[in-house]
Amino acid sequence: LLMERPAGTAYPSSSDSDMHRAAGADLYEDYSTDDETVILKNGKEVARFQGRERLIDGVVRDSVVYSLGASRTNGGYIMRKDWKLVSQSSNIQPVGRFYEDGGKFCFSGASSADRGTQWFNIVEGDAVPVNAGRSGARIQALRLVNGNVWQAYNAGKDYCLQVNDITIILEYK
């Protein structure tokens, strides 16, 4: 897929390659000023909002744009629908990208505190806590699939796949 767009001082653009994303036939770019985030679609500004935000993922469904971002100053996640704020948390860090479960947009997140890491599935902006793996396990992936919590983790030398309360242990030999 080859895309063209005007360039030069009259056309704002992000100079960082990781700030460009293709969605269908459209090119989205984001960049931050000292206190704002600017979103471009095919070189034209489509959104501008307060705060310095870094886009992580975006999905376009039926002409509606869903975006997952992170604050450049406070961390955490920021979820938007058509560039309007749906939810945000400075404590929960996004892990992975958007996915759909039952027609709802979801992503996973984690919050680290003195008592360890708490995992969440964020469903349409609502953070749902998840009991993740065995004690000391390192979560590799976490998702809702048909409403069931799936998680892949390793604990010591064991690799595990857990669906709700059922765990499959793949022993490393």
Side-chain angles (χ1 to χ4, degrees):
L1 177 65
L2 179 64
M3 303 177 109
E4 291 183 20
R5 83 172 218 39
T9 57
Y11 302 96
S13 178
S14 174
S15 59
D16 297 322
S17 62
D18 65 345
M19 307 313 270
H20 298 74
R21 289 154 201 83
D26 297 313
L27 176 65
Y28 287 87
E29 301 172 70
D30 61 284
Y31 67 90
S32 294
T33 66
D34 288 341
D35 57 359
E36 290 182 310
T37 299
V38 180
I39 309 294
L40 306 172
K41 177 182 174 184
N42 300 325
K44 294 188 167 90
E45 185 175 315
V46 293
R48 179 181 293 261
F49 37 85
Q50 285 298 113
R52 294 174 43 79
E53 195 171 314
R54 176 182 55 88
L55 289 184
I56 296 169
D57 196 16
V59 177
V60 180
R61 288 284 189 277
D62 300 323
S63 300
V64 176
V65 179
Y66 297 85
S67 68
L68 173 60
S71 168
R72 291 180 184 272
T73 52
N74 300 331
Y77 79 85
I78 302 166
M79 183 178 177
R80 296 180 181 276
K81 180 178 177 182
D82 279 338
W83 311 115
K84 306 274 188 290
L85 182 65
V86 172
S87 74
Q88 68 180 12
S89 169
S90 59
N91 298 323
I92 300 173
Q93 304 302 316
V95 178
R97 302 170 58 101
F98 275 134
Y99 63 91
E100 283 187 77
D101 183 54
K104 296 181 178 181
F105 282 97
C106 311
F107 65 94
S108 300
S111 176
S112 295
D114 293 338
R115 62 187 181 282
T117 300
Q118 172 65 58
W119 286 83
F120 298 88
N121 278 316
I122 294 85
V123 181
E124 297 280 318
D126 294 324
V128 180
V130 174
N131 291 327
R134 300 189 311 216
S135 178
R138 289 187 53 228
I139 301 291
Q140 304 297 322
L142 179 70
R143 283 196 169 201
L144 284 175
V145 179
N146 296 323
N148 297 303
V149 177
W150 286 67
Q151 49 190 309
Y153 60 91
N154 64 310
K157 290 185 176 184
D158 293 334
Y159 289 88
C160 306
L161 174 64
Q162 183 171 330
V163 182
N164 295 333
D165 294 329
I166 299 170
T167 303
I168 300 168
I169 300 174
L170 307 170
E171 292 184 29
Y172 177 79
K173 293 187 181 207

